[in-house]
């Protein structure tokens, strides 16, 4: 299996690269993204074969069919990271919330957000490749929430990789901040930045673009990689849980093999939805993928109106912060798949130069063959959280955006899987507010909600409040480079 670029090839860089090259150096030559030339088929025979399989068995078989250049033993060791999830037999359990709707819970890993699903095995593989090649990598992340903890967790004490994670001081929840600043390993550095998330992200971008920082890295023999969802090494693991969720629906009798279902995906950078799209293209019986957003509803416009327009839009800070995104990277991979490289280049360059692009009617219709979209504001989400707690199911604010999509976007009354991307414990003050008991801090909210709604707080969240804080550095934007060099 080879990987090519969404914006075509410039004739200078290699026309195609292997999986390991695509994940070690994810930046392609025209600023595009790497995509696979082909996806293995997911047909009835494949699904039937795995009806009784363990998650890891399914994953290994799918990754083997993909033909990636990673040894079987390495893939197996990477997949064994799922053994640390709540139930090693089933890392992604399904819960029924309506007779025709189940929630597939992607958050049963170490940091209680769905980022673990991909980052856990990905981190193992990236470190292993670096060791095999005798190379050293630096991963830098700017985070407002879930990516930071999951990136630190996966690379903790892994050889040949260092991680530096920048977060806006005061811009994360207590739980998210503690997940980062208590993460103790010599290859990890966490730096608080005075400013908001935009300041943090811009500081990181400026640092990564600066020539003298690049020289400093070269002098230390350190290469840069990335662990965000532009890296296909994350996407590949996000195809698998869609197959698993389908099989779970068959196992629990909601559907018979071959019957179509809807998926509802709470989306930001569109990695989760892209995994579902690839699964659908490969043959998984999916009617449509329903995209849910919060007030930053630019994906709704893209899918419903065929227009993507950043002009006049300001990022709104919502109660589902992991979806507070305006530039959604992975739609580029969808457009490449549908419209080809030349058109994708035109559209993405228009977005960069003019802040917008508009699809033709035929192009919009092509997107709508696979997707529909809607969005919910914070108060709608709070209402859904409260309504489902009464029915006996606790969901986080990101998951709550899915309910409207499930209720309004289905053309056919087919069974539906909603993806839950975070455990409520990561956003407990919002949940407490939704249940009519606003409190200040996370610890009060966790205690009140768990008592009120009879839900437990897992040990890795409770334990955070007793763990020693090891990363205390908070700097002005100007001070980041010096901190970084000290760390390296
Ligand atoms: C990252 C994240 C999302 C968005 O996922 P994408 O793959 O970027 O669309 C949604 N919910 C939570 C809780 C997340 O952490």
């Amino acid at each position: 299996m080879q990987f090519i670029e969404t914006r075509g090839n410039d004739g200078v860089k290699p026309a195609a690269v292997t999986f390991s090259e695509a994940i070690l150096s994810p930046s392609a030559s025209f600023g595009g993204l790497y995509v696979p030339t082909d996806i293995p088929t997911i047909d009835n025979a494949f699904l039937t074969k795995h009806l009784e399989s363990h998650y890891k068995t399914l994953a290994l078989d799918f990754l083997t069919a993909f033909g990636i250049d990673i040894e079987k033993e390495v893939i197996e060791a990477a997949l064994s990271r799922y053994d640390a999830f709540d139930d090693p037999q089933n890392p992604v359990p399904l819960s029924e919330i309506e007779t025709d709707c189940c929630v597939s819970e992607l958050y049963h890993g170490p940091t209680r957000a769905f980022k673990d699903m991909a980052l856990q095995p990905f981190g193992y593989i990236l470190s292993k490749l670096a060791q095999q090649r005798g190379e050293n990598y630096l991963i830098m992340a700017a985070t407002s929430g879930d990516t930071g903890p999951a990136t630190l967790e996966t690379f903790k004490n892994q050889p040949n990789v260092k991680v530096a994670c920048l977060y806006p001081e005061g811009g994360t929840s207590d739980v998210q901040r503690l997940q980062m600043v208590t993460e103790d390993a010599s290859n990890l550095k966490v730096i608080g930045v005075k400013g908001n998330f935009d300041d943090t992200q811009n500081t990181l971008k400026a640092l990564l673009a600066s020539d003298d920082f690049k020289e400093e890295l070269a002098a230390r023999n350190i290469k840069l990689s990335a662990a965000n969802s532009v890296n296909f090494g994350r996407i590949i693991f996000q195809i698998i849980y869609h197959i698993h969720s389908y099989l779970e629906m068959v196992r629990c009798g909601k559907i018979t093999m071959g019957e179509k279902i809807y998926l509802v995906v709470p989306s930001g950078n569109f990695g989760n939805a892209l995994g579902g799209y690839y699964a659908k293209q490969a043959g998984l019986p999916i009617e449509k993928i329903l995209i849910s957003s919060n007030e930053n509803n630019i994906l709704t416009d893209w899918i419903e109106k065929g227009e993507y327009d950043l002009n006049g839009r300001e990022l709104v800070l919502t109660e589902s912060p992991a979806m507070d995104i305006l530039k959604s990277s992975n739609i580029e991979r969808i457009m490449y798949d549908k419209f080809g490289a030349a058109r994708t280049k035109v559209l993405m360059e228009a977005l960069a130069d003019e802040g917008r692009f508009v699809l033709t009617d035929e192009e919009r219709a092509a997107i709508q063959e696979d997707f529909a979209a809607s969005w919910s504001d914070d108060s709608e989400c709070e209402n859904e959280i409260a309504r489902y707690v009464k029915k006996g199911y606790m969901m986080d604010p990101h998951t709550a955006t899915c309910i409207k999509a499930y209720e309004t976007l289905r053309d056919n009354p087919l069974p539906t899987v909603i993806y839950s991307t975070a455990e409520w414990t990561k956003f407990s003050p919002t949940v407490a507010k939704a249940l009519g008991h606003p409190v200040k801090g996370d610890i009060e909210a966790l205690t009140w909600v768990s008592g009120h709604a009879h839900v437990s707080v897992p040990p890795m969240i409770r334990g955070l409040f007793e763990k020693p804080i090891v990363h205390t550095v908070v700097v002005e934007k100007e001070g980041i480079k010096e901190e970084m060099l000290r760390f390296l």
Side-chain angles (χ1 to χ4, degrees), residues 332-372:
E332 177 165 352
R333 287 180 161 124
I334 303 283
M335 295 198 293
Y336 167 81
D337 200 60
K338 296 209 172 273
F339 317 139
R343 179 66 176 153
T344 302
K345 186 165 189 284
V346 169
L347 293 169
M348 295 312 294
E349 287 179 355
L351 186 63
D353 298 342
E354 293 141 43
R356 73 190 290 261
F357 66 75
V358 182
L359 303 179
T360 65
D361 289 348
E362 294 82 58
E363 286 170 342
R364 191 192 58 215
I367 299 286
Q368 290 177 351
E369 273 170 32
D370 296 298
F371 298 102

Side-chain angles (χ1 to χ4, degrees), residues 91 171 457:
V457 177

Side-chain angles (χ1 to χ4, degrees), residues 266 292 376 380-385 395-405 418-420:
S292 72
S376 306
E380 289 172 308
C381 291
E382 287 179 21
N383 288 341
E384 296 302 351
I385 292 171
M395 63 179 71
D396 98 296
H398 300 79
T399 314
T401 64
C402 294
I403 301 298
K404 191 197 269 181
I418 284 177
Y419 282 105
S420 182

Side-chain angles (χ1 to χ4, degrees), residues 50-258:
H50 288 294
L51 196 48
E52 302 302 327
S53 290
H54 187 285
Y55 191 93
K56 290 191 294 182
T57 311
L58 164 70
L60 180 65
D61 199 22
F62 180 74
L63 294 169
T64 306
F66 226 105
I68 54 176
D69 60 333
I70 308 290
E71 293 102 324
K72 186 173 175 223
E73 299 69 45
V74 175
I75 299 179
E76 279 173 333
L79 292 172
S80 69
R81 289 276 187 100
Y82 292 126
D83 293 345
F85 281 48
D86 291 344
D87 178 0
Q89 294 306 311
N90 186 358
V92 187
L94 204 65
S95 289
E96 179 186 305
I97 61 163
E98 300 290 343
T99 47
D100 67 349
C101 183
C102 294
V103 176
S104 183
E105 297 172 352
L106 298 171
Y107 59 74
H108 289 275
T111 74
R112 315 317 277 173
F114 99 104
K115 301 287 189 289
D116 290 331
M117 288 304 303
L119 276 167
Q120 278 293 315
F122 167 83
Y124 180 88
I125 289 180
L126 195 133
S127 166
K128 199 75 194 175
L129 287 173
Q131 292 167 59
Q132 288 173 346
R133 295 173 176 220
E135 294 172 343
N136 289 295
Y137 284 84
L138 171 66
I139 306 266
M140 293 202 61
T143 183
S144 63
D146 290 340
T147 304
T151 306
L152 295 166
E153 182 67 26
T154 192
F155 288 113
K156 180 170 68 179
N157 296 319
Q158 294 298 299
N160 297 49
V161 180
K162 282 183 156 70
V163 179
C165 185
L166 311 182
Y167 71 94
E169 198 207 11
T172 66
S173 73
D174 296 347
V175 164
Q176 289 169 327
R177 182 178 47 83
L178 288 172
Q179 282 182 322
M180 293 186 272
V181 298
T182 62
E183 197 72 284
D184 192 9
S186 62
N187 67 329
L188 307 179
K189 178 80 182 175
V190 178
I191 306 172
V193 180
K194 295 205 168 117
N196 59 24
F197 177 61
D198 275 343
D199 297 331
T200 309
Q201 195 161 33
N202 291 337
T203 310
L204 174 62
K205 279 189 184 149
L207 185 65
L208 292 178
S210 85
D211 284 333
D212 54 303
F213 187 65
K214 283 183 197 153
E215 277 165 30
E216 298 276 7
L217 290 180
R220 290 168 172 78
N221 231 331
I222 297 175
K223 294 170 186 266
L224 271 177
S225 185
N228 54 17
S229 62
V230 307
N231 196 317
F232 198 85
R234 272 180 61 177
I235 303 297
I236 200 167
F237 290 105
Q238 297 190 251
I239 304 172
I240 297 160
Y241 57 68
H242 295 287
I243 311 173
H244 167 83
S245 300
Y246 184 87
L247 291 171
E248 284 281 287
M249 288 291 274
V250 178
R251 283 177 206 128
C252 73
K254 288 282 167 209
I255 53 171
T256 54
M257 189 65 89

Side-chain angles (χ1 to χ4, degrees), residues 298 308-314 326-327 351 355-356:
I298 198 160
Y308 202 96
D309 193 348
L310 295 165
N311 301 310
R313 264 188 189 270
E314 289 266 350
L326 291 179
K327 270 192 175 165
L351 186 63
R356 73 190 290 261

Side-chain angles (χ1 to χ4, degrees), residues 107 112-115 145-147 176 229 234-235 238 241 265-274 291-292 299 320-325 328-330 396-399 419-423 426-427:
Y107 59 74
R112 315 317 277 173
F114 99 104
K115 301 287 189 289
D146 290 340
T147 304
Q176 289 169 327
S229 62
R234 272 180 61 177
I235 303 297
Q238 297 190 251
Y241 57 68
V265 182
S267 298
N269 237 346
F270 221 72
N272 193 353
L274 177 70
I291 301 301
S292 72
L299 290 168
S320 42
M323 291 153 62
D324 290 346
I325 288 176
S328 181
S329 319
N330 279 302
D396 98 296
H398 300 79
T399 314
Y419 282 105
S420 182
T421 47
E423 188 174 64
K426 295 201 86 169
F427 305 98

